[in-house]
């Protein structure tokens, strides 16, 4: 059987890995629109979290299998259609993730100084489409809308001492911009309360322990919460207890003076605040603050809803980062897509009404969860493919040409794919450039430069 996977992030690689491991004759081709693989492991994981990127070793092992091939620099839906892939392969798995962000849908969202978390993360992580972002970091106060791990990542990057960042694979140009940054106060605002935050304890602990930075949490936000979390699941309980501790802890006087002198920067959490409008400066061009609707909670736990109370407040800030979630886009008119939920309608990864077409990862279940969630989800989809092969739902008696057919189509359209060994040349060049600068790698952010490097 010839299987094709679209997208080379964790969902794509884990799907390929599972199929290759459990079917000793299957051949898997992975298509990726960028020349370089690994998706959000390369472009989403924070530069100061190198341990999370270790999964790249597993993915590399998969890509080097003699039954697996990688074709980068190929945009499915433009260079080759899903219909053409379905004719060339017995099964096609769409694992292309979420390449857009949810919008706030409020006035002033397009003012200068307002950015999506997705674009900002892409900028400091070297995602080619965000390399020219040039965010304005000339203000003292930044506001991040959202209480997830991505919001904390951004706050940490904005406030981290440069010496810490210099040792990471953060891009050169973002490091230079952060070196000139005037930002010294970051607020993270969410519509709901402390019991509904979506970040995890590891990220919160890192933020609390960030050198030269102190948390400013309002004790009133946490009163009475000890009782409320008594019966909560353990992770939620521990997370809330850590926030309470950070909010209520009173260090000794001497410690306070030392801390205040050392901590020139601060961050804090604001709860039950929903953005209504980004307020413009007098010339109407840039952001000067955000008007927030105060909310009250109806219901409890994860299902609590934020209802506006009618009261509002204004928060001054020159930088607004909206971290309210990623969003998948339809890839090809031939593929069913639920625009409301932003996913491909499917049952256990089998795309509805399209036998032989599958999906895994964020485009299958929505943009939530960490790499391990995506791994399990992708194994489930791969299992559906294996079951359909075994049950004869996929007719393997008809031979399919796989890349033999697709390669001809790409050639006729002037598209030159990038192989995995091409990527390894780019990888080696990045690592060598990084070594010269004392960091793990210096990412190349321009696809043209990548292609020149491998002689394309």
């Amino acid at each position: 059987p010839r299987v094709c996977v679209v997208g080379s992030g964790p969902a794509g690689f884990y799907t390929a890995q599972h199929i290759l491991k459990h079917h000793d004759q299957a051949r898997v081709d992975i298509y990726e629109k960028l020349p370089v693989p690994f998706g959000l492991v390369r472009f989403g994981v924070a530069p100061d979290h190198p341990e999370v990127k270790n999964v790249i070793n597993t993915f590399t092992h998969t890509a080097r299998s003699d039954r697996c091939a990688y074709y980068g620099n190929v945009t499915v839906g433009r260079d080759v259609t899903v219909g053409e892939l379905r004719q060339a392969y017995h099964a096609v798995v769409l694992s292309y993730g979420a390449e857009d962000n949810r919008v706030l849908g409020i006035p002033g969202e397009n003012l200068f100084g307002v950015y999506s978390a997705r674009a900002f993360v892409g900028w400091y992580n070297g995602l080619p489409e965000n390399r020219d972002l040039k965010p304005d970091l000339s203000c003292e106060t930044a506001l991040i809308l959202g209480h997830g791990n991505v919001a904390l990542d951004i706050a940490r990057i904005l406030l981290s001492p440069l010496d810490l960042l210099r040792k990471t694979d953060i891009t050169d140009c973002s490091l230079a911009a952060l070196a000139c940054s005037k930002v010294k106060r970051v607020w993270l605002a969410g519509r709901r309360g402390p019991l509904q935050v979506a970040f995890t304890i590891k990220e919160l602990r890192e933020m609390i322990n960030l050198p030269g930075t102190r948390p400013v949490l309002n004790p009133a936000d946490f009163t009475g919460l000890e009782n409320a979390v008594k019966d909560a699941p353990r992770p939620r309980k521990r997370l809330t207890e850590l926030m309470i501790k950070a909010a209520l802890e009173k260090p000794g006087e001497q410690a306070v003076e030392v801390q205040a002198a050392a901590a020139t920067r601060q961050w804090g959490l604001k709860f039950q605040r929903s953005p209504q409008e980004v307020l413009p400066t007098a010339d109407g061009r840039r952001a000067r603050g955000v008007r927030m609707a105060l909310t009250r909670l109806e219901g409890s736990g994860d299902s609590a809803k934020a209802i506006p109370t009618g009261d509002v407040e204004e928060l001054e800030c020159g930088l607004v980062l909206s971290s309210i979630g990623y969003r998948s886009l339809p890839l090809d008119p031939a593929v069913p897509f639920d625009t409301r939920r932003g996913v491909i309608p499917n049952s256990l990864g089998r795309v509805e009404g399209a036998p032989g077409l599958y999906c895994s990862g964020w485009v299958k279940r929505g943009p939530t969860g960490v790499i391990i969630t995506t791994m399990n989800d992708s194994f489930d989809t791969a299992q559906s493919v294996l079951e359909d092969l075994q049950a004869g739902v996929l007719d393997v008696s008809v031979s399919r040409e796989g890349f033999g057919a697709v390669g001809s189509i790409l050639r006729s359209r002037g598209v030159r794919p990038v192989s995995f060994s091409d990527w390894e040349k780019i990888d080696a060049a990045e690592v060598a450039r990084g070594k010269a600068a004392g960091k793990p790698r210096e990412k190349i952010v321009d696809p043209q430069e990548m292609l020149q490097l491998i002689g394309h």
Side-chain angles (χ1 to χ4, degrees):
R2 288 184 170 270
V3 180
C4 143
V5 171
V6 178
S8 70
F13 265 107
Y14 281 128
T15 304
Q17 176 190 321
H18 193 83
I19 291 170
L20 292 165
K21 182 177 170 185
H22 297 282
H23 193 303
D24 51 13
Q25 286 182 321
R27 304 184 71 91
V28 181
D29 292 343
I30 301 174
Y31 291 89
E32 166 59 55
K33 74 173 181 179
L34 290 170
V36 294
F38 310 135
L40 279 189
V41 181
R42 177 178 165 99
F43 297 118
V45 173
D48 56 351
H49 284 173
E51 71 290 348
V52 182
K53 301 183 193 192
N54 290 340
V55 294
I56 285 177
N57 303 330
T58 316
F59 299 164
T60 298
H61 183 72
T62 299
R64 286 181 179 156
S65 152
D66 51 7
R67 292 186 289 123
C68 185
Y70 167 83
Y71 301 103
N73 200 35
V74 176
T75 302
V76 172
R78 185 192 70 194
D79 301 337
V80 57
T81 67
V82 172
E84 288 165 334
L85 291 176
R86 291 180 73 187
Q87 282 177 329
Y89 292 90
H90 294 106
V92 173
V93 187
L94 303 174
S95 311
Y96 61 86
E99 42 193 350
D100 197 14
N101 51 274
R102 290 173 55 194
V103 293
L104 291 164
I106 59 172
E109 187 165 10
N110 300 323
L111 289 169
F112 188 70
V114 183
Y115 308 93
S116 73
R118 188 193 157 78
F120 193 78
V121 170
W123 168 71
Y124 65 64
N125 270 333
L127 184 62
E129 67 188 69
N130 302 126
R131 66 183 191 272
D132 299 323
L133 192 71
K134 298 189 176 53
D136 181 5
L137 307 178
S138 63
C139 61
E140 287 194 358
T141 304
L143 171 65
I144 302 172
L145 299 167
H147 279 166
N149 280 343
V150 175
L152 279 189
D153 279 346
I154 291 174
R156 209 176 55 251
I157 296 294
L158 283 171
L159 297 173
S160 279
L162 283 174
D163 291 351
L164 290 184
L165 293 178
R166 276 198 188 94
K167 301 185 182 81
T168 72
D169 67 359
I170 192 167
T171 62
D172 218 20
C173 79
S174 49
L175 193 60
L178 288 163
C180 307
S181 167
K182 300 273 189 290
V183 176
K184 55 184 190 190
R185 191 179 305 103
V186 177
W187 295 112
L188 297 102
R191 288 175 312 176
R192 301 193 296 168
L195 296 180
Q196 287 81 30
V197 294
F199 49 71
T200 48
I201 193 160
K202 175 184 177 285
E203 273 68 19
L204 177 65
R205 193 177 286 120
E206 269 182 296
M207 202 66 221
I208 290 171
N209 296 332
L210 193 64
T213 306
R214 63 191 179 92
V216 184
L217 301 179
N218 182 358
D221 289 332
F222 299 93
T223 44
L225 284 193
E226 281 107 329
N227 290 332
V229 287
K230 265 221 266 299
D231 307 319
R234 189 160 177 266
R236 172 66 66 192
K237 188 169 181 235
R238 287 176 57 225
L239 178 65
T240 309
E241 285 167 353
L242 182 58
M243 283 191 283
I244 293 170
K245 184 170 176 251
L248 305 180
E249 207 169 54
K250 294 279 175 279
E253 272 175 38
Q254 203 176 352
V256 170
E257 282 171 29
V258 173
Q259 215 180 356
T264 50
R265 300 172 165 201
Q266 49 178 243
W267 64 275
L269 299 168
K270 289 193 177 288
F271 300 104
Q272 292 177 240
R273 306 270 192 290
S274 181
Q276 270 191 335
E277 181 183 359
V278 181
L279 305 166
T281 48
D283 64 5
R285 296 232 293 272
R286 30 188 329 137
R288 66 165 176 87
V290 176
R291 180 182 297 119
M292 305 281 233
L294 275 53
T295 66
R296 60 183 172 81
L297 293 189
E298 265 183 19
S300 60
D302 290 343
S303 57
K305 293 253 182 298
I307 313 290
T309 60
D311 292 330
V312 296
E313 69 172 24
E314 289 185 8
L315 201 138
E316 269 184 62
C317 55
L319 175 63
V320 181
L321 293 143
S322 137
S323 183
I324 57 167
Y326 288 15
R327 200 170 71 104
S328 294
L329 298 171
L331 183 72
D332 187 307
V335 180
F337 192 79
D338 179 340
T339 44
R340 193 184 62 79
R341 291 177 54 226
V343 293
I344 295 172
N346 70 89
S347 158
L348 298 176
R350 297 176 179 93
V351 177
E352 278 175 21
L357 192 58
Y358 302 83
C359 57
S360 68
W362 283 5
V363 75
K364 168 185 169 187
R365 64 164 204 281
T368 54
V370 290
I371 290 176
I372 191 95
T373 333
T374 294
M375 179 183 84
N376 291 325
D377 168 85
S378 304
F379 287 174
D380 289 347
T381 292
Q383 202 53 43
S384 291
V385 175
L386 294 168
E387 283 167 17
D388 290 354
L389 282 167
Q390 193 151 20
V393 176
L394 302 173
D395 185 3
V396 193
S397 66
V398 182
S399 81
R400 299 288 170 105
E401 282 185 68
F403 185 72
V406 175
S408 313
I409 292 171
L410 295 175
R411 268 194 303 281
S412 73
R413 291 174 189 161
V415 179
R416 283 184 70 184
V418 168
S419 70
F420 200 76
S421 57
D422 287 333
W423 147 245
E424 293 187 310
K425 288 177 198 152
I426 298 169
D427 180 38
E430 290 187 341
V431 171
R433 291 179 188 191
K435 199 172 178 185
K439 51 198 289 201
R441 74 171 60 236
E442 185 57 65
K443 286 180 189 164
I444 297 168
V445 298
D446 181 359
Q448 285 318 113
E449 192 183 335
M450 295 174 187
L451 296 175
Q452 274 166 348
L453 191 84
I454 54 176
H456 259 48

